[in-house]
Each structure stands twice: as structure tokens, then as C-alpha cells.
Amino acid sequence: MKKSKKDFISGNLNSLILRYLLFLFCFLLTTGNIYAQTKTISGIIKDEANEPLIGVTVQIKGTNNGTITDIDGRYTIAAATGNVLVFTYVGMQTQEVTVGSQASIDVVMKNDSRMLAETVVIGYGSAKAKDLTSPIATIKGDDVNRHLTASPMQAMQGKVPGLQVINTGQPGSSPKVRIRGVGNYDDSKTGPLYVVDGMFFDNIDFLNNSDIENMSVLKDASSAAIYGVRAANGVIIVTTKKGLTDRKPQVTYDGYFGLQKASNLVKMANSQQYATVMKEIGNTNTIDQSIAKFGGANGIPAVNTDWYDEILRVAPMHSHAINVNGGGEKTTYSIGISYLNQKGILDSDNGYERLNMRSKVDIGITNWLKVGGSFIVVNSDQKLANNSAFGNAYTSPSIYPAYDANNSIASPTKYGSAQDVGLTNYFWNPVAIADYYNNKVGVTEVLPALYMELSFLENKLTFRTSYNQDLSFQRNRLFLPIYTVSASQQNKKTQLTKSQKYTNNWLIDNILTYRDTFAEKHNVTLMAGNSIRKERWERLRLQGEGIPDGREQYWYLHNGSIIEQGADVDTWYDNAEEIRGASFFGRLMYDYAGKYLLSATIRADGSSKYQETWGYFPSVGLGWVLSEENFMKNQKVFDFLKLRGSWGMLGNDKIQRNDGFASITQETGYFNGQLMPGTSSLSFFSSLKWEQVEELDFGLDFTILNNRLSGELDYYKRITKDAVFLKSLQAGAGSLLMNNGEIQNSGVEVSLNWDDKIGRDFTYNVGVNMSTLKNKVTHLDGLDRIITSGDYGRIRQIGQTVDSYYGYVMEGIYQNQAEIDNDKTLTDIASKPVPGDIKFKDIDGDGKLTDQDRTLLGSPLPKFFLGGNLGFTYKAFDFSTAFQGQFGHKILNQKRFLRQKQTDINFDEDIVKNRWTGEGSTNKYVSGAALGHTWTYSRFNSFFVESANTFTIQNIQLGYTFQNIFPQSGNKSSLRVSFTAERPFNFFSYNGFTTDVADGIDNDVYPLTSTYSIGFRLVY
């Protein structure tokens, strides 16, 4: 039987892989002696930053004999004594070395332009910045390690134009990352692909900041197309630290001790303010009961609980990392171990603890054979907080205590009860919510990687084969103890939920690369490769009750009883999923005399996940280095100037494979005059496929003023086709996911960097980046708009931002009764407003207040991003600061709108102090009485949608370095002491802890923190 392409992808490839590797091993053994007899000169070419240079031309002067350096800066060439080796590279000074008796010649190339010499990691290789036709941003590991964050991506906020990072205060939780907007109706599927030393990941939370050598952000389709169906949301390539050539073992310790506190605390109404507003509403029942039970005077309760103060704490955070790097001429190594411990600021058992161990070895067995590998082991424990404590701390009035020794039914802790002062069952004690909760997630991850690289034709041709694996074991345990606070806030039986997830992903890449220079001016790099991958996970979940309380060692399901599966209760499941894929890809990079640049890629991706098995993702990029042209030689403005443009296609395979349902309904109908029983059936299914992205990018790179000022400017337009969204079916049959949407993102990105030196001892740098984002829906399968149902209006509308807020516009406040009586829009309204209530705008101008007066109220997506940094060094002192801002977006303050469900909830101080108190007092805030009226909350409106414009000082660090503290070490030893403030200042007008709200709806959001630390970096 003939096998299909899908059979090829899904088949068992293990035996083929083993035979293939065995063949390579035998080939190496039998051919090694052929090359070993050739006498050669070899060496390593580096730049002034001690980084190896790829693609340096090494030529015997006066001849056409030459070679180029490989990815590690190594070269091999046959030459005789007296020959002159010429080392040339665009953007660097040409050097000549005469061959003597030595067999090894290493050269350090000096920069003509720092930007031109920068090595950039790209998909399946690396290149110099001067040769790029795409906007690839590179962040060095030192810039990441400067930040006090548990995840490297949390440190990336504001560093790259077009990169949005939405952080969270929950220790160990992943930030939300978007590159160039949102191209999906499900925001959980918009994260980028992470490639760590060749392996694919959905996040990099398992890495310590100190593990990172550099990070490359592939923003456009041209640079990311080499990753095909995984790259629609951008690609972030992470390179971990590697060894050092010809270096004695260098031991480095990086560590800090810090304290975290909640930033931008929301100040709530105290008991006096709460009682005052409740009197204006006309509801003093809870006030009277509080006074009767706990005391008070003049209508003001004696109890005045600050719930945020009760549930928050100052929490410690510390990190420690030891790295050993070194190597000889042929072998380099890097070994590291790191530990992070972060307590949560919620005053309960929550926090994050992680231990990382890693090693990386590269061995040059011969001049043409190199092998190596890495091994990373990560073990982490995350104790999750019950975030509903934050929402309840907002809603709970201050009129009852956190602890009440007279609460006779409270057990085991004497917490105060909201119901004791007449509050409804809607209110729970926030401190008890935080306390009676134990949710732990443990993860053990093992990441082995191996590679072998062969060089032929004097390093012009290389073949690299690699194997990467990700083994992950995740353990979740949620335990709820027996407790009682009140009749409504209690748990009569212990509950234990356990789940386990086992993941086994592996990836094999085979890459053939050819680099050469023809006729001195034609430089070409050809790459071809294939990739085979498998992703498999298994998941098991069980839920039980009646487990003994008290000690953690009792919390096993066999000590209680398993809760049986019910029709509406999903208490257990046991399932698995496996996806296999095969890919073939290629890339051409060509330049003529460093002036005319061409880059083209193609990737064919096959996946067992979808019925449409294969996808094809091409890209092309062009560049023109104007500064290399003869007509630019005499100008004095630009040291370097390049124009570039690119186009490409990408895919997003985070989409589920299909959707559908079938139902049978009992019906009756008349047949031949008789009522007969029967059934009707509905069956709807859709076959989904990956979403597809097409993108154009036009850019400009330059350096001026003797290379002190460098910059990049880009315009992009990205269209996501076949976007998946829920479409309503006919006759009320329900809804179904379909590939029928289209979303467009476009914008401008600017990056400027200034580096200079004043005198001998003072150097400084200033950087700033800006970007705009215009997001809009361009297709909804023939629909003009889709309005999301529920209390909080959201809309998808052609020409507008995805999932914008949708509701009525607050035009002002009714100042007097006459204004209400003369308002024609209220004619058909049965329940009239009163002075101090919201006045809604008549959008369509028909003189009536109807559903047609709803309109767009803003979007959670920022329209403008700002980031920057400033730093200087003076002798042994160094200083740096970083900032970021986001503007043009809105947040739904859901906490304020919750009053529609319960009128006794507390008020934030801002709304109390600025409330309407009489004619002319304000046209922005409603009266105290209005806060208890249904009029204010009966229509979702702009009063609850607030500006989220924000500007944040991300990091301030001051350091001092003591040099040569261990003269006997043989290395440059030093001790650096630093003081760091992470996110010390946040400027925004929004009435919440933070504007970092992923979905734009602020309710149970874990606050962000400000962290202050002392750090040490010891190099021996």
C-alpha cells in the first residue's frame, strides 16, 4: 500500500535516525586520517569584545587561495613560510600577518564601525548586523541579568520596539508577550516561539537570567519564516552561556538579596468615608450592625480595617548563581548552577523557588570535526496565591475586623465574619481567603542537547546535525482544608485535587551550510536543512475528599475517597496527545561588495495535527548599503547607511485541530393528524488549520557622527489570514470555531542609541525606542461586527481594534432636576435618573436612549510604546537606568462595576473624595446616592473604562567594582557591589495597582512589586 505524506510524518523514525548517526560515525573514523596528513595553519578571529567573527576572509596575499572563518571564528588554510595572510571584513580594519614557523595565528580585528561588527543570532545560524535585511533586535545577557526578575522575559519590558511584555506580580507566573500586536481572537494563542539553543519552547521561565548569553527577537516574517508554522507570533532565540577559548577556568558568582513591596497601592474608603456614602445612598443597616457589635460613635463604626494592609506584606527575594567558564584551543566549557527564591507579597503561603543546573561543552576533535552538547536540569516549586483575596479586599467594607475572638463558629482561626454586620453571603473575609488555600505546582525539566559539526573545503562547507529534547514532569496539588468563618464562608470537607503532566518533546535538525567569496566581491551563504520533531504529553487528574487535615504528608488521595464523576462535575480525566512534524528549509544570503544584499528563505512544514498536512512559508529580503557606494564616499554625514525591505509568510499552529458537536433533542410532531413523539438531531463539525500571516517590512539602518549615534527605522504591515473565531450557527444551533477571520497590524518602529566617551575615564550611553501599533479587524466571514455577550461589553468590528470595549458614553452628570426634565432622551425611560446620576450621550442623535447609542469605548491594546535606557561609567563606578511607557489604551475597572451585583461593596478613596456633592461640584464623578442606584450600573458605560497610559522607571542600578582582588588567580579578578531598584516609580492615573492587565479586565489581579536589593558579582 502506498504511504501518504502524513504517514511519513507520523511513522516511527527512530530506527532511521540511529542508522543515520551510525553511518556518520563510521564515516568519520574511516576518513579522519586523510585530513590529518595535511599541514595547515589555523587560528581564531575575534573582535575587540572577544567575540568570534564569522565570515572573515583569510587570503594568501597575491593569490586567489583563501578561506573564511566558521561560526566559531575558526579558519584553516594551507600556507608556506613567508606567505602573507590578509584578513578582511567589511566594517573592520584589514590586517596582514606574515607566516613564520608558527602553526597557529589568532587575530583580533579592530572595528571601523561597532554596529557593523555585531554578531546577530538568526534562525539556524548567525550573521553580522551589516548583512541583515530584516529588523532583528539583540539583547545581551548582561542587560537581562541587571533586572530582579524570576523570568528573563519580565526583564525585556521596554527594551525592543514592537515587543510588548505584560508582567504579573504572581511569583513564578509567565508574563504575557506579544510581538507586533495581536493576530488572533484568542489572546492565549498569541505568544511567540522561543528557541533555546535550538529547542522549541512556549516560554523560558525555566531559565535564570544569569544563564543567558544573548537574546535575538525576530520580529518580521522574513527573519522568522525559517521557522514556518510555529512563527506567526514572532520568534525569540535564546543562546545560553558558552565557554571561553584559551582561558583558564573563570569562576563568577552573581547574587542579590532584595525586598519586595506592592507598588501603587489602591487606597480604599475608611469606615468614616464608607458610612458617609452609605448614608447618602440611604442604606445604613450594615453600619448600624457594626456599631452595635463592635462599637462606634456618631454613626461611625469603631472598626476600621484596611484590608490591603491585612493581606499584604514586604517579601524577601534572593538569587544566587555560580558559573565556571574556560577552555583551551580545541575545547571550551561552561558550567553553572543557580538558585532563586521569591516570596509572594500576599501574606500567605505563596512564592516561587527554582534550582537550575546547566553545562555546555564544545570540543574541536580535528580541524574539520567539532562535537558538543549541553545539559540543563531545572526543578521548581511554585505556591500559587488565591488571587480572589485581592478582589475581596476591594469589595469588603472596613466595618468588620479581620480577626474576631468572639466569633464562636470560626475555626481553626478566629477570623471576623462579614455576615456578623449584616453583609450578604457575597462578602468573604479576604485574610481567610488567602489563608485557607494550598496550591502547589512542582516542575522538573531535563533538557539534553547534542550536536556534531563537520567542516569541508577549507571551512567553506559545514554540516551540522543536532538532537534536542525536553522532558518535563509537572505535579499539581490543590488542598482545601476544613474551616469555618461564617455560614457562607466555610468548607465542611477537605478537598484534594491532584494532577500530573508528563511531556516528552524532541527535535532533530540537519543543517548544511556553504559560505564562499567569488572574485573578491561576491559573498554567498547557502543553507539547506531538514527538521524532524515529536511532541507528546500525557495528563492525569483526580479529585478526592475526606483527606486528613493538618500535615502535608497526609495529603494523598488514598487517605480519603475519590469523588465520583458526575454529569456536571469533571472530577477526573486521563488523556494524551501526540504531534509529529517534518520540515525542509533553505536560505540564500548574498551580497555584492557589501553593497547589495539578498536574503531568501523557504520552509515546507508538515504536521500530523491537521488534515491539511503541509504548508509552505517563503520569504525574501533586499538591502542596499548606500554608504558603500562611490557617490557616498565624500559625504560627511553617514558612517553607515542601509535601506532594506522584506516580505514573508508565517504560520500559527497553536490553533486546535477541529471543533464540533452533535446533539439529539426529544421532539413531538403531528403526522396524519396524530401527535407523535420523535427526536431531532444537529451535527456541526469544522476542520481547522493553522492561521497564516503575511507581512511586509521596510527599514533603514544608519550610524552617524563617527559611529556614536546609530539607529533603525521600520514600517511594517502584518495581515493574519484564516484567523479562528467562534461563528454563530443558524437557527440558534450554537457556535463553531472556523478559519474565517482576518486581522491587520501595522506600525512604525524607531530605535536610537548614542555611545560616547569624555576624557579617559567617563563613558556614557543613551538609548530610546518608540513604536506605534494600529490593530484592526478586516474580515469576519461576511459579518460587520460581533458583540460579545455578558455584563462587560466587547466587540469585534470591521475596521476597529480586536475586542474593543463597547457600551454607552458618559457625557457628564445631571446637575439638577430641570436638566433631567428637559432631556428628551429620557422620554421612554421608565426609571428616571436623579441629580448626581450619569448622563448618557445620544450617539445616533435620534433623541432616544437605546442600544443603538452604544459605541466603541477604547481598547486594551496600546497604540504607542516607549522604552529607553541611560548609563555611564566613571572609573570604578557605573550607573544605569531603564524606563518604559505604554499609551493609548484602556482598562475595564471591573471592581467598580461589581456594585451592579452587590450595593454594599466598599469604594476606593478616589471615588469618595471626588463624588458629586451638589450642583456644579463635578461633571466627572457620580454622587454618593448614585453609587447605590441601578441607573449607574444598568448600562455598561465609559465611567468604568479608564485610561491605562503609564510610564515606569523599570530599573535603577548603581555599582562599584574593586579590581584585581585575587592577583594569584591568573584571570582578571574583581568584585562588583551594586544597589538596584526594580520598578521603583510607576506613573499612571488608573485606579488600580497596575496597568499590566493581560486581558484588559482588572479584578483579581496580583499586584506588581517594587524591589530593592544589594547585589554582588565576584569574578575569580
Side-chain angles (χ1 to χ4, degrees):
M1 179 181 293
K2 183 179 179 181
K3 290 188 176 182
S4 67
K5 291 182 178 180
K6 194 164 186 177
D7 291 331
F8 163 72
I9 297 168
S10 301
N12 189 342
L13 301 173
N14 292 336
S15 59
L16 175 62
I17 295 164
L18 289 173
R19 288 197 297 268
Y20 165 69
L21 293 177
L22 181 61
F23 166 76
L24 281 178
F25 180 71
C26 295
F27 172 78
L28 297 174
L29 290 178
T30 56
T31 59
N33 292 328
I34 299 174
Y35 288 85
Q37 300 303 318
T38 303
K39 183 176 178 60
T40 59
I41 294 175
S42 62
I44 301 175
I45 313 300
K46 297 182 179 180
D47 61 17
E48 293 175 296
N50 203 37
E51 291 292 329
L53 289 173
I54 180 177
V56 176
T57 299
V58 184
Q59 192 168 14
I60 299 176
K61 191 172 183 178
T63 73
N64 292 324
N65 299 330
T67 184
I68 60 175
T69 56
D70 64 13
I71 193 171
D72 296 308
R74 297 179 184 273
Y75 74 93
T76 302
I77 191 170
T81 301
N83 286 159
V84 176
L85 298 184
V86 181
F87 301 87
T88 58
Y89 195 78
V90 175
M92 292 194 161
Q93 300 173 10
T94 299
Q95 296 192 43
E96 296 184 358
V97 178
T98 302
V99 177
S101 59
Q102 71 271 47
S104 176
I105 298 176
D106 297 337
V107 174
V108 176
M109 303 288 285
K110 296 182 179 181
N111 296 341
D112 275 346
S113 169
R114 196 177 317 171
M115 191 197 82
L116 296 181
E118 181 182 358
T119 300
V120 178
V121 178
I122 60 177
Y124 302 103
S126 62
K128 290 300 174 182
K130 70 177 185 66
D131 298 326
L132 297 177
T133 60
S134 301
I136 300 176
T138 298
I139 303 298
K140 295 181 179 179
D142 289 343
D143 292 331
V144 177
N145 199 32
R146 185 176 290 117
H147 292 265
L148 313 177
T149 61
S151 167
M153 287 311 300
Q154 291 176 321
M156 292 289 283
Q157 195 172 48
K159 293 194 179 300
V160 177
L163 176 68
Q164 182 187 12
V165 179
I166 304 174
N167 281 324
T168 172
Q170 176 85 270
S173 294
S174 303
K176 180 68 182 177
V177 179
R178 301 178 181 133
I179 296 178
R180 289 186 167 181
V182 173
N184 190 285
Y185 294 111
D186 183 352
D187 200 30
S188 66
K189 296 179 172 60
T190 59
L193 168 69
Y194 298 92
V195 182
V196 181
D197 292 337
M199 187 60 188
F200 292 175
F201 297 93
D202 290 329
N203 66 67
I204 53 173
D205 294 343
F206 59 88
L207 288 177
N208 191 288
N209 291 0
S210 65
D211 293 336
I212 294 175
E213 182 79 20
N214 57 62
M215 300 171 69
S216 292
V217 183
L218 312 187
K219 296 187 289 184
D220 78 321
S222 176
S223 59
I226 198 69
Y227 290 106
V229 78
R230 304 292 299 271
N233 301 315
V235 180
I236 297 177
I237 302 177
V238 181
T239 303
T240 59
K241 286 186 175 178
K242 55 187 177 182
L244 304 171
T245 306
D246 295 328
R247 183 75 64 89
K248 293 181 179 179
Q250 183 182 72
V251 182
T252 304
Y253 165 79
D254 272 300
Y256 64 82
F257 301 84
L259 294 176
Q260 312 163 87
K261 70 178 189 68
S263 58
N264 297 81
L265 280 172
V266 178
K267 197 164 182 60
M268 301 301 297
N270 58 33
S271 291
Q272 180 179 356
Q273 293 168 324
Y274 179 77
T276 300
V277 177
M278 293 304 290
K279 289 177 184 177
E280 294 175 6
I281 292 174
N283 179 6
T284 61
N285 176 56
T286 58
I287 306 298
D288 297 337
Q289 292 195 48
S290 176
I291 294 173
K293 185 171 180 62
F294 300 108
N298 301 318
I300 307 300
V303 176
N304 187 24
T305 304
D306 184 336
W307 289 110
Y308 282 132
D309 186 59
E310 292 289 343
I311 67 172
L312 292 172
R313 66 185 177 189
V314 174
M317 177 181 185
H318 56 98
S319 176
H320 313 275
I322 298 176
N323 291 284
V324 182
N325 300 287
E329 181 182 352
K330 298 291 187 180
T331 301
T332 63
Y333 59 87
S334 178
I335 303 170
I337 183 171
S338 60
Y339 174 75
L340 171 76
N341 190 307
Q342 180 185 14
K343 299 297 184 183
I345 58 170
L346 183 66
D347 195 5
S348 67
D349 191 12
N350 69 117
Y352 183 61
E353 192 174 13
R354 184 183 63 213
L355 177 67
N356 293 53
M357 293 178 286
R358 64 169 189 86
S359 62
K360 181 181 286 188
V361 178
D362 300 283
I363 304 172
I365 296 178
T366 69
N367 291 331
W368 51 270
L369 172 62
K370 184 177 180 181
V371 298
S374 64
F375 195 75
I376 299 175
V377 180
V378 184
N379 189 78
S380 66
D381 285 307
Q382 181 185 21
K383 294 182 178 179
L384 294 168
N386 191 345
N387 285 0
S388 62
F390 294 110
N392 278 267
Y394 181 96
T395 59
S396 288
S398 55
I399 61 175
Y400 71 98
Y403 300 89
D404 181 7
N406 296 319
N407 185 357
S408 59
I409 68 171
S411 175
T413 303
K414 294 294 184 180
Y415 286 117
S417 167
Q419 285 67 55
D420 283 351
V421 295
L423 291 167
T424 67
N425 293 341
Y426 180 86
F427 296 92
W428 282 16
N429 185 313
V431 182
I433 290 174
D435 185 22
Y436 296 135
Y437 187 82
N438 192 297
N439 194 354
K440 183 178 180 180
V441 180
V443 178
T444 300
E445 200 157 4
V446 181
L447 311 170
L450 298 169
Y451 79 88
M452 178 172 58
E453 184 176 291
L454 297 88
S455 299
F456 307 96
L457 304 177
E458 297 179 315
N459 289 332
K460 295 179 181 179
L461 180 65
T462 61
F463 173 75
R464 181 185 178 97
T465 182
S466 62
Y467 174 82
N468 289 268
Q469 190 168 20
D470 174 20
L471 292 168
S472 176
F473 309 87
Q474 180 174 317
R475 309 163 301 279
N476 296 60
R477 185 201 65 198
L478 172 61
F479 181 79
L480 302 178
I482 296 174
Y483 68 88
T484 301
V485 178
S486 65
S488 62
Q489 188 177 0
Q490 63 176 313
N491 189 41
K492 295 182 179 180
K493 287 185 177 181
T494 59
Q495 293 182 11
L496 177 63
T497 303
K498 281 195 169 184
S499 63
Q500 295 181 350
K501 182 180 180 181
Y502 164 66
T503 302
N504 183 3
N505 300 335
W506 57 256
L507 179 69
I508 295 177
D509 290 327
N510 298 294
I511 311 295
L512 188 66
T513 305
Y514 179 77
R515 303 182 186 90
D516 205 354
T517 299
F518 302 96
E520 297 184 356
K521 293 186 177 182
H522 300 273
N523 303 297
V524 63
T525 300
L526 291 169
M527 185 271 288
N530 85 294
S531 181
I532 304 169
R533 67 183 174 100
K534 187 189 81 171
E535 299 175 359
R536 177 179 175 80
W537 60 260
E538 298 178 10
R539 184 177 290 170
L540 174 67
R541 178 179 180 269
L542 290 171
Q543 187 173 354
E545 61 185 10
I547 287 85
D549 203 344
R551 295 186 178 182
E552 192 169 346
Q553 55 262 41
Y554 301 156
W555 297 349
Y556 292 92
L557 291 169
H558 78 270
N559 289 328
S561 58
I562 302 297
I563 300 176
E564 294 185 4
Q565 190 88 331
D568 57 349
V569 180
D570 186 18
T571 60
W572 63 266
Y573 58 75
D574 182 13
N575 56 4
E577 183 177 18
E578 181 172 298
I579 299 171
R580 292 177 179 262
S583 306
F584 301 90
F585 46 85
R587 176 170 58 219
L588 164 67
M589 296 183 68
Y590 167 81
D591 76 81
Y592 175 76
K595 291 190 290 187
Y596 311 117
L597 312 174
L598 168 66
S599 176
T601 67
I602 180 68
R603 179 166 178 132
D605 260 333
S607 173
S608 65
K609 185 174 182 178
Y610 301 103
Q611 290 179 320
E612 185 176 327
T613 307
W614 288 89
Y616 303 92
F617 304 95
S619 77
V620 63
L622 298 173
W624 180 19
V625 183
L626 282 82
S627 52
E628 291 295 315
E629 295 286 0
N630 291 331
F631 62 80
M632 293 284 287
K633 294 299 183 183
N634 296 323
Q635 56 85 31
K636 304 298 182 182
V637 178
F638 293 99
D639 303 304
F640 176 75
L641 177 62
K642 178 174 67 177
L643 295 175
R644 50 181 168 74
S646 61
W647 169 90
M649 296 184 69
L650 306 166
N652 178 24
D653 72 346
K654 293 184 179 181
I655 307 305
Q656 66 187 62
R657 56 172 55 88
N658 53 50
D659 189 32
F661 63 90
S663 64
I664 298 177
T665 306
Q666 298 292 331
E667 304 281 1
T668 57
Y670 281 93
F671 294 92
N672 298 323
Q674 293 185 352
L675 187 64
M676 303 289 292
T679 59
S680 64
S681 64
L682 291 174
S683 180
F684 294 95
F685 291 93
S686 64
S687 175
L688 300 177
K689 62 179 181 179
W690 49 70
E691 297 173 332
Q692 188 166 284
V693 169
E694 185 175 351
E695 183 174 11
L696 276 170
D697 186 284
F698 299 98
L700 169 71
D701 302 332
F702 67 88
T703 63
I704 60 175
L705 302 176
N706 292 324
N707 298 314
R708 289 177 293 179
L709 178 63
S710 61
E712 297 179 11
L713 172 66
D714 278 274
Y715 167 79
Y716 69 90
K717 183 177 181 181
R718 170 181 291 201
I719 299 176
T720 302
K721 302 176 181 179
D722 297 324
V724 174
F725 72 97
L726 276 172
K727 181 181 178 182
S728 298
L729 301 173
Q730 295 179 353
S735 57
L736 200 64
L737 289 173
M738 297 182 179
N739 290 97
N740 289 324
E742 188 174 287
I743 302 170
Q744 178 179 298
N745 292 277
S746 60
V748 175
E749 299 170 351
V750 180
S751 178
L752 299 170
N753 291 281
W754 175 275
D755 289 275
D756 201 4
K757 186 175 183 178
I758 301 176
R760 293 180 54 189
D761 300 318
F762 188 85
T763 62
Y764 68 99
N765 63 278
V766 181
V768 64
N769 66 79
M770 298 167 284
S771 59
T772 65
L773 173 64
K774 184 176 182 181
N775 173 280
K776 64 180 180 180
V777 178
T778 54
H779 183 66
L780 284 172
D781 194 31
L783 301 175
D784 179 62
R785 62 181 183 174
I786 297 175
I787 300 174
T788 304
S789 60
D791 296 329
Y792 317 111
R794 303 292 280 267
I795 190 172
R796 297 165 184 170
Q797 183 170 320
I798 297 297
Q800 303 298 331
T801 304
V802 173
D803 288 336
S804 295
Y805 304 111
Y806 184 70
Y808 293 87
V809 174
M810 175 184 170
E811 193 174 28
I813 302 296
Y814 287 109
Q815 299 294 324
N816 50 55
Q817 188 61 44
E819 186 178 356
I820 296 172
D821 295 339
N822 294 327
D823 190 342
K824 303 298 183 183
T825 65
L826 303 177
T827 302
D828 298 329
I829 303 297
S831 179
K832 305 290 187 194
V834 297
D837 271 336
I838 290 176
K839 181 180 181 180
F840 295 112
K841 187 174 183 178
D842 181 15
I843 295 294
D844 62 2
D846 66 350
K848 299 179 181 180
L849 188 60
T850 65
D851 285 348
Q852 302 307 311
D853 293 315
R854 291 181 297 172
T855 189
L856 298 168
L857 303 179
S859 162
L861 286 181
K863 294 181 174 60
F864 180 75
F865 301 86
L866 175 68
N869 61 83
L870 168 66
F872 69 81
T873 61
Y874 176 71
K875 294 185 177 180
F877 287 96
D878 64 89
F879 172 83
S880 65
T881 184
F883 61 86
Q884 69 93 22
Q886 300 180 25
F887 309 91
H889 59 309
K890 301 288 184 71
I891 291 178
L892 166 58
N893 194 335
Q894 186 191 37
K895 299 188 298 291
R896 282 184 169 181
F897 197 63
L898 289 174
R899 187 169 291 278
Q900 63 159 334
K901 297 180 179 180
Q902 178 52 249
T903 59
D904 288 333
I905 70 173
N906 202 8
F907 316 92
D908 56 72
E909 190 180 70
D910 174 75
I911 207 171
V912 172
K913 286 187 173 181
N914 296 292
R915 73 188 188 281
W916 185 89
T917 56
E919 187 171 348
S921 58
T922 179
N923 204 36
K924 182 179 179 182
Y925 284 86
V926 298
S927 67
L931 291 171
H933 291 175
T934 57
W935 176 266
T936 305
Y937 309 95
S938 59
R939 298 168 181 85
F940 178 71
N941 62 82
S942 59
F943 178 74
F944 303 101
V945 181
E946 301 183 35
S947 170
N949 293 342
T950 183
F951 179 82
T952 301
I953 303 298
Q954 288 289 97
N955 181 275
I956 300 175
Q957 188 173 91
L958 176 65
Y960 185 87
T961 302
F962 301 88
Q963 297 287 359
N964 200 28
I965 61 173
F966 300 111
Q968 71 277 13
S969 70
N971 290 326
K972 291 183 178 180
S973 60
S974 62
L975 171 64
R976 179 175 180 267
V977 181
S978 60
F979 300 91
T980 304
E982 187 75 16
R983 207 180 295 105
F985 303 109
N986 305 275
F987 304 97
F988 54 80
S989 61
Y990 171 66
N991 290 288
F993 283 110
T994 175
T995 58
D996 277 27
V997 181
D999 61 357
I1001 299 177
D1002 182 7
N1003 186 15
D1004 297 332
V1005 174
Y1006 199 113
L1008 290 183
T1009 62
S1010 298
T1011 307
Y1012 303 89
S1013 79
I1014 180 171
F1016 303 91
R1017 178 181 175 88
L1018 177 65
V1019 179
Y1020 178 82

